[in-house]
């Protein structure tokens, strides 16, 4: 499992082509066990590698392979949103894909997701069930489950996910990875779920998460001052009736002690805010209805999302404008939290990973109910627009990874703290 810096060094020394050939072979040999890849771009990836090998101006991600979540446009590949309803290839790259190419990264293909990213389980009628590489009997979470599996399996050092309610952080927690949801409007071209969502990095290390974020945001990291931080600890979920599993409580307490040992001020914190549920549900329905309306063959969508389309007819006009305005006001309210503390520490999810196939036979309402424990700590920050990050925190009693969530005003603080905590004793 090479880091991005090791990939880059080997590509510069030995050439990118043999490394990409090896990566493609490994994915083809192993993905039948996990179902994480929706399309591999063998010819395009090898052609890009050959061009890099003749280049005299290597970029920061020279020769490093990356995979892209299905909902992001990659030229020459249909953007299916996890359905069978969009067969025509995209004419151009999304801006974040263009930035990755400019940095020297090689796009290997696209990753599986549930239809429209609607659920925290990567399962769909179009693509089947995606499985956790730590134990294929369990889900990797979702909706960026394919991206998380590809990273956890060691095929790539990082991948691009998307997060409208926890869809980067949930699979990162279930797969033992670092996953960052950037703040609203940090990355270009985003209107995922009517301002709830954004693309972001999933990586095996905090350093690689930072490098991918730098490429996606077209920015360069600045040196951290290493100051002592005020860290608030909260076990309070924003979704009712979803108490955290004891493994997650232990993980949060252990991380709190680690941060305290690093010299930070750590204390329990009571989070107070308006209920985000109505605004989230409105933007969720409106966002999925918008994506369905833009499909070439909307009649081909899953039965449960035909229900979503019909059931969400109210989520438009004044109701949607109210929800988006509520999101702005909630963001302002929660921003004041970070006058009292610098970083909030919570569980990433309330429950342990579900068995693979959890969505089988479920309609829209049953799937939504099954999703509630997964988004109990994550969806709030999509409504408010704040950056949030899941970082690995050991394993649970079931042997699967556990993650904890960090929330702050800006991404750099989260990335720096994640990096420092990963190397702390």
């Amino acid at each position: 499992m090479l880091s991005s810096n090791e990939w880059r060094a080997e590509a510069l020394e030995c050439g990118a082509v043999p490394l990409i050939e090896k990566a493609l072979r490994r994915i083809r040999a192993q993905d039948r066990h996990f179902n994480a890849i929706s399309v591999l771009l063998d010819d395009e990836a090898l052609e890009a590698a050959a061009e890099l090998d003749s280049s005299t101006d290597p970029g920061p991600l020279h020769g490093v392979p990356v995979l892209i979540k299905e909902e992001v446009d990659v030229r020459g590949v249909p953007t299916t949103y996890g359905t069978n309803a969009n067969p025509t290839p995209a004419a151009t790259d999304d801006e974040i894909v263009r930035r990755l190419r400019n940095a020297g990264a090689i796009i290997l293909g696209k990753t599986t997701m549930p239809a429209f990213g609607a659920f925290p389980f990567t399962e769909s009628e179009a693509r089947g069930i995606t499985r956790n590489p730590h134990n294929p009997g369990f889900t990797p979470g979702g909706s960026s489950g394919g991206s998380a599996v590809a990273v956890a399996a060691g095929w790539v050092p990082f991948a691009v996910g998307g997060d409208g309610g926890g869809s980067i952080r949930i699979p990162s927690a279930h797969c033992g990875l670092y996953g960052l949801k950037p703040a609203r409007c940090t990355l270009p071209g985003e209107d995922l779920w009517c301002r709830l969502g954004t693309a972001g990095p999933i990586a095996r290390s905090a350093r690689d998460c930072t490098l991918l974020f730098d490429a996606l945001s077209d920015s360069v990291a600045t040196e951290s001052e290493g100051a002592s931080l005020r860290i608030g600890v909260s076990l309070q979920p924003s979704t009712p009736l979803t108490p955290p599993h004891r493994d997650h409580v232990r993980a949060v307490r252990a991380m709190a002690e680690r941060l305290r040992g690093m010299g930070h001020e750590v204390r329990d914190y009571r989070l107070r805010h308006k209920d985000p549920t109505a605004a989230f549900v409105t933007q969720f329905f409106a966002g999925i209805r918008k994506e369905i309306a833009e499909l070439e063959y909307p009649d081909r969508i899953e039965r449960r999302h035909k229900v979503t389309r019909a059931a969400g007819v109210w989520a438009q006009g004044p109701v949607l404008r109210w929800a988006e305005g509520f999101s702005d006001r909630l963001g302002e309210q929660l921003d004041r939290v970070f006058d009292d503390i610098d970083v909030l520490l919570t569980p990433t999810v309330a429950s342990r990973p579900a068995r693979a196939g959890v969505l089988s036979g479920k309609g829209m309402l049953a799937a939504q109910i099954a999703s509630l424990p997964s988004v109990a700590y994550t969806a709030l920050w999509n409504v408010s627009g704040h950056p949030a990050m899941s970082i690995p925190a050991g394993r649970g009693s079931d042997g699967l990874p556990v993650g904890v969530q960090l929330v702050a005003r800006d991404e750099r603080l989260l990335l720096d703290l994640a990096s420092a905590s990963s190397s702390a004793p």
Side-chain angles (χ1 to χ4, degrees):
M1 294 186 181
L2 297 178
S3 69
S4 61
N5 278 344
E6 290 168 334
W7 268 101
R8 185 178 187 275
E10 287 206 24
L12 287 169
E13 181 179 354
C14 307
V17 169
L19 287 172
I20 296 302
E21 288 176 334
K22 182 178 179 180
L24 290 167
R25 285 196 302 270
R26 187 177 183 192
I27 291 172
R28 289 203 177 278
Q30 297 181 4
D31 190 44
R32 64 179 182 272
H33 302 298
F34 307 125
N35 188 35
I37 308 299
S38 60
V39 60
L40 271 183
L41 301 173
D42 301 66
D43 293 342
E44 294 90 337
L46 290 170
E47 181 180 343
E51 290 178 4
L52 285 177
D53 285 343
S54 62
S55 170
T56 58
D57 184 23
L61 300 181
H62 179 93
V64 182
V66 63
L67 287 155
I68 310 294
K69 189 180 179 181
E70 182 58 61
E71 66 194 3
V72 179
D73 286 349
V74 174
R75 66 173 184 258
V77 184
T79 305
T80 70
Y81 298 100
T83 74
N84 289 320
N86 254 5
T88 301
T92 59
D93 285 332
D94 187 274
E95 173 61 18
I96 61 172
V97 175
R98 187 190 68 80
R99 290 179 178 185
L100 289 172
R101 294 191 199 274
N102 287 345
I106 296 176
I107 310 302
L108 292 190
K110 301 185 77 173
T111 59
T112 53
M113 62 180 287
F116 309 109
F119 307 116
F121 318 104
T122 303
E123 304 175 9
S124 69
E125 292 179 7
R127 297 294 179 188
I129 297 171
T130 298
R131 298 176 179 275
N132 194 314
H134 293 276
N135 185 332
F138 290 83
T139 182
S143 63
S144 305
S147 291
V149 169
V151 176
W155 303 337
V156 291
F158 42 48
V160 173
D163 192 315
S167 291
I168 286 173
R169 290 160 287 163
I170 295 163
S172 294
H174 288 352
C175 293
L177 303 170
Y178 293 82
L180 172 68
K181 179 196 82 70
R184 182 178 294 141
C185 298
T186 297
L187 298 185
E190 57 186 82
D191 187 25
L192 179 62
W193 284 6
C194 301
R195 300 171 65 241
L196 283 179
T198 176
I202 297 174
R204 281 199 305 275
S205 70
R207 177 178 175 79
D208 276 344
C209 199
T210 300
L211 288 172
L212 183 53
F213 175 71
D214 289 345
L216 297 175
S217 60
D218 199 20
S219 62
V220 179
T222 56
E223 289 294 325
S224 170
E225 297 179 0
S228 175
L229 299 173
R230 300 165 301 164
I231 297 175
V233 180
S234 175
L235 295 170
Q236 167 196 350
S238 60
T239 302
L241 305 178
T242 53
H245 190 279
R246 60 184 179 276
D247 288 344
H248 302 156
V249 174
R250 283 195 293 264
V252 167
R253 293 302 183 199
M255 181 60 68
E257 286 306 309
R258 177 183 294 187
L259 295 171
R260 185 176 285 113
M262 293 166 58
H264 300 300
E265 176 192 327
V266 180
R267 60 186 172 92
D268 288 342
Y269 190 83
R270 176 73 177 175
L271 195 63
R272 293 180 173 84
H273 57 81
K274 295 179 180 178
D275 188 342
T277 305
F280 178 84
V281 170
T282 301
Q283 289 165 276
F284 168 85
F285 274 105
I288 293 180
R289 281 173 51 82
K290 179 175 181 289
E291 290 175 352
I292 292 172
E294 294 172 351
L295 295 172
E296 295 175 75
Y297 299 99
D299 58 304
R300 297 179 184 176
I301 62 175
E302 297 179 356
R303 287 166 293 177
R304 58 181 149 238
H305 288 305
K306 291 178 180 177
V307 175
T308 303
R309 177 175 56 186
V313 68
W314 53 270
Q316 55 184 312
V319 178
L320 178 57
R321 289 193 293 274
W322 168 84
E324 292 179 336
F326 180 96
S327 291
D328 291 336
R329 294 190 296 275
L330 181 66
E332 293 171 359
Q333 179 188 21
L334 286 173
D335 204 54
R336 292 192 286 273
V337 166
F338 301 106
D339 293 332
D340 297 332
I341 57 175
D342 299 303
V343 178
L344 183 71
L345 168 65
T346 77
T348 303
V349 297
S351 60
R352 301 301 297 137
R355 286 278 179 181
V358 64
L359 290 184
S360 296
K362 284 186 170 62
M364 185 270 290
L365 181 58
Q368 291 292 343
I369 293 171
S371 301
L372 290 177
S374 295
V375 302
Y377 293 94
T378 55
L380 171 66
W381 306 105
N382 293 86
V383 180
S384 77
H386 284 83
M389 185 175 188
S390 183
I391 66 174
R395 291 181 180 265
S397 53
D398 53 10
L400 291 167
V402 177
V404 297
Q405 180 176 236
L406 303 174
V407 189
R409 273 191 173 127
D410 69 82
E411 297 87 359
R412 293 294 173 192
L413 183 56
L414 298 178
L415 291 163
D416 289 346
L417 184 58
S419 181
S421 66
S422 68
S423 58

